[in-house]
């Protein structure tokens, strides 16, 4: 197995999502991350519907009580994170192939694409830094790793279709 580290992610992170089939690689990344990195672990099995996905983000990213449990509120909170003391972010989504994959989800592909677009926009906003209402932020690392099994080829195809970003397999 090729050695992977948190630093490897940073070197390849612009406009990129990461994909892995190995929790061992996640452990290597975690063990090599510096103390200023906040690692959020989300469980795809808890994101099978829109409501569950929003609740999983709120729970795992410690969103404030005012979180409205809707897409606009997710966008606002994921682009804020001022309640988190660390200054770099790594979002790891385990079992990513379960995201919005419930048989009860209507318009799955469109909803998944909207979700991926929200993550792309958040990543770009963090990477580029912001200057909103006298609250500027400097460029910040915000990386996203999707963890799935090799047998879930459909997820990779769905992700490729939904994103304008590169996908780097690690």
């Amino acid at each position: 197995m090729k050695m992977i580290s948190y630093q490897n992610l940073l070197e390849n992170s612009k406009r990129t999502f990461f994909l892995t089939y190995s929790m061992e690689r996640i452990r290597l990344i975690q063990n090599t991350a510096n103390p200023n990195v906040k690692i959020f672990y989300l469980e795809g099995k808890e994101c099978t519907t829109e409501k569950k996905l929003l609740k999983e983000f709120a729970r795992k990213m410690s969103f404030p009580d005012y979180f409205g449990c809707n897409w606009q509120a997710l966008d606002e909170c994921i682009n804020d994170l001022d309640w988190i003391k660390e200054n770099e972010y790594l979002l790891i989504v385990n079992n990513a192939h379960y995201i919005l994959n419930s048989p009860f989800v209507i318009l799955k592909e469109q909803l998944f694409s909207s979700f991926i677009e929200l993550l792309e926009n958040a990543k770009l906003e963090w990477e580029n830094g912001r200057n909103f209402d006298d609250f500027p932020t400097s460029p910040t690392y915000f990386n996203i790793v999707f963890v799935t099994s090799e047998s879930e080829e459909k997820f990779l195809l769905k992700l490729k279709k939904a994103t304008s970003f590169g996908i780097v397999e690690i």
Side-chain angles (χ1 to χ4, degrees):
M1 169 173 32
K2 178 185 167 197
M3 179 59 179
I4 185 75
S5 68
Y6 180 72
Q7 189 61 40
N8 294 137
L9 292 186
L10 299 183
E11 292 167 3
N12 299 296
S13 68
K14 288 288 186 188
R15 296 184 58 85
T16 301
F17 289 134
F18 297 96
L19 177 76
T20 188
Y21 306 112
S22 167
M23 284 306 291
E24 179 60 29
R25 290 183 180 253
I26 296 299
R27 283 186 280 283
L28 288 170
I29 292 166
Q30 175 187 345
N31 291 338
T32 58
N34 68 54
N36 290 324
V37 178
K38 175 63 177 176
I39 303 175
F40 301 102
Y41 295 94
L42 282 81
E43 176 52 57
K45 290 180 180 180
E46 297 297 324
C47 299
T48 56
T49 67
E50 182 177 354
K51 185 174 183 178
K52 286 181 173 183
L53 180 142
L54 293 167
K55 286 184 176 184
E56 178 74 350
F57 268 84
R59 184 173 43 254
K60 296 295 177 74
M61 296 183 86
S62 304
F63 287 170
D65 292 338
Y66 62 79
F67 175 67
C69 210
N70 58 56
W71 290 108
Q72 186 174 353
L74 176 61
D75 182 55
E76 180 182 317
C77 286
I78 205 170
N79 285 299
D80 185 352
L81 302 178
D82 66 354
W83 55 92
I84 305 294
K85 66 177 172 64
E86 292 84 358
N87 59 14
E88 294 179 20
Y89 310 107
L90 176 60
L91 178 64
I92 298 171
V93 184
N94 191 36
N95 293 306
H97 52 279
Y98 284 96
I99 296 172
L100 300 170
N101 208 19
S102 167
F104 303 106
V105 174
I106 299 170
L107 303 172
K108 283 182 195 180
E109 281 191 35
Q110 292 90 333
L111 194 57
F112 183 80
S113 292
S114 295
F115 169 64
I116 295 300
E117 182 180 357
L118 184 144
L119 291 180
E120 287 176 340
N121 290 337
K123 184 169 172 45
L124 287 173
E125 193 167 314
W126 283 109
E127 283 179 353
N128 295 328
R130 301 167 295 186
N131 192 8
F132 297 135
D133 301 327
D134 298 324
F135 296 106
T137 61
S138 57
T140 302
Y141 289 113
F142 186 93
N143 286 300
I144 302 166
V145 181
F146 295 104
V147 184
T148 190
S149 72
E150 287 186 74
S151 64
E152 292 297 333
E153 294 172 14
K154 287 182 192 175
F155 176 77
L156 179 56
L157 294 173
K158 187 166 68 168
L159 182 59
K160 283 181 178 179
K161 184 178 179 181
T163 188
S164 63
F165 280 17
I167 301 168
V168 174
E169 292 186 36
I170 55 173

